[in-house]
Amino acid sequence: LELKANEKNLSLTMELFIKTVLSSSEYIDKSNEEKSQKSSTADNSSTNTEVAVVDGIDVYLIQVGSFDNNKDLNKITAKLKENKIPNSSIKIDGANKVQAYISFNEEDVRNNLEKTKKIVDDAFLTKLEIPVLSLEYTEEYSYIKDIADNLNSLLKNYEEESNYLNKNKDNLDSGEYKKILTKRENILDKLENEVNKIDYNELEYFKTNLLSYTSQIRDNISKYGDKIDTKNEYKYETLLISSIQMYYEFINEIKAA
């Protein structure tokens, strides 16, 4: 795997815990007996927790450049577009890193490396590692589990699209492709329904950023159009790269909060 040392910042190894534990301060002390009973209830709320896990994913891409100004960024993206190479940029440590192609399978991307190097000779294979997200919750907030399940379904849907693109680059079927996107819209419907149930301050930042992310994905879906253009597959892979890069950014924003 051709990785440059200064790209190790793409690897995010944290595991995020968001705890939703009721505080005993929520209870009103009416008598010593009530205080004892309610303290016990609070203790149970603290100990009877479960953890919902959103799987981590690794995706492979080709990095074609890292830029700190829009002039050079626009120049390289125009060159890639001219050659119908799918690409999208992501800002990491203040630099815009332009990444092309994407797959959950390293060999799929490696197969595109040589032709990419003919356009950008110092292009190299890289891996974007997105970590596990662990959400700890109590029974009262059991919808957190549904949020995690729907995020897992969304990541699986990205993988399904990636696999379809890499296996059918020259033979896309508009109907089959639209099924994948319709499934994504249904997942987003369910996800947003559960996220909107969040009604406590501890997860307000998580809620706001996740809804912002799902809105961006809906915008990406709209760019596919009513009918898939089977001769311009690179446009759809570009949107897939963008969607996964934005998920990476979403995780980073939650980490930094």
Side-chain angles (χ1 to χ4, degrees):
L1 181 65
E2 300 171 12
L3 293 174
K4 288 191 176 178
N6 62 1
E7 297 308 319
K8 290 182 180 177
N9 54 25
L10 288 177
S11 176
L12 179 59
T13 58
M14 67 87 181
E15 181 174 4
L16 178 62
F17 286 87
I18 300 175
K19 298 186 178 181
T20 57
V21 181
L22 293 177
S23 169
S24 58
S25 64
E26 293 178 291
Y27 297 93
I28 301 174
D29 299 332
K30 293 183 178 179
S31 68
N32 288 337
E33 182 178 356
E34 288 178 342
K35 186 186 296 183
S36 176
Q37 291 173 342
K38 292 175 181 179
S39 176
S40 175
T41 300
D43 288 342
N44 287 336
S45 296
S46 298
T47 57
N48 295 333
T49 60
E50 296 187 47
V51 178
V53 176
V54 183
D55 296 333
I57 61 171
D58 293 343
V59 292
Y60 298 89
L61 311 101
I62 295 172
Q63 183 153 309
V64 296
S66 180
F67 307 98
D68 57 9
N69 65 84
N70 288 333
K71 181 179 179 181
D72 290 339
L73 174 67
N74 293 336
K75 183 177 179 180
I76 193 66
T77 55
K79 191 174 184 180
L80 293 170
K81 183 177 181 180
E82 180 183 346
N83 287 274
K84 293 189 174 183
I85 292 181
N87 70 92
S88 178
S89 64
I90 181 172
K91 181 166 281 191
I92 299 175
D93 294 336
N96 288 301
K97 302 185 184 297
V98 179
Q99 298 172 332
Y101 297 103
I102 193 167
S103 180
F104 288 68
N105 183 331
E106 178 183 342
E107 283 306 308
D108 289 337
V109 176
R110 187 176 291 279
N111 289 338
N112 294 301
L113 184 57
E114 288 307 313
K115 67 180 180 181
T116 305
K117 282 187 171 183
K118 291 179 180 178
I119 300 166
V120 183
D121 58 11
D122 59 350
F124 62 93
L125 187 68
T126 189
K127 179 168 69 172
L128 189 65
E129 297 181 77
I130 304 178
V132 168
L133 175 64
S134 294
L135 305 172
E136 191 170 312
Y137 64 96
T138 58
E139 183 177 357
E140 183 177 357
Y141 305 108
S142 58
Y143 55 80
I144 294 295
K145 173 71 163 56
D146 296 320
I147 291 173
D149 288 345
N150 282 296
L151 280 172
N152 278 325
S153 295
L154 183 60
L155 296 178
K156 287 294 184 183
N157 182 259
Y158 291 151
E159 184 173 7
E160 181 182 6
E161 181 182 6
S162 176
N163 289 340
Y164 183 79
L165 282 170
N166 282 290
K167 291 178 181 177
N168 300 278
K169 284 186 181 293
D170 300 319
N171 189 35
L172 293 183
D173 181 277
S174 181
E176 289 301 313
Y177 207 139
K178 289 299 264 184
K179 286 180 183 178
I180 296 173
L181 299 177
T182 297
K183 186 185 299 184
R184 184 170 304 162
E185 289 179 309
N186 291 336
I187 293 169
L188 291 174
D189 288 342
K190 294 176 183 177
L191 176 58
E192 290 170 342
N193 181 62
E194 298 302 327
V195 172
N196 280 317
K197 293 178 182 179
I198 296 175
D199 61 353
Y200 53 100
N201 291 334
E202 289 85 350
L203 278 185
E204 188 60 34
Y205 188 79
F206 173 78
K207 175 182 179 179
T208 300
N209 280 274
L210 183 48
L211 289 176
S212 175
Y213 174 67
T214 59
S215 176
Q216 290 173 314
I217 299 310
R218 287 190 184 279
D219 183 58
N220 269 2
I221 292 173
S222 71
K223 294 175 182 176
Y224 284 79
D226 294 331
K227 187 175 181 180
I228 298 298
D229 181 357
T230 56
K231 294 182 180 179
N232 286 298
E233 166 274 336
Y234 79 96
K235 295 191 301 184
Y236 309 124
E237 191 165 2
T238 290
L239 291 169
L240 178 60
I241 297 170
S242 169
S243 294
I244 293 178
Q245 286 175 334
M246 287 190 293
Y247 182 73
Y248 175 88
E249 291 175 326
F250 160 67
I251 292 295
N252 271 319
E253 293 214 359
I254 297 302
K255 177 192 175 186

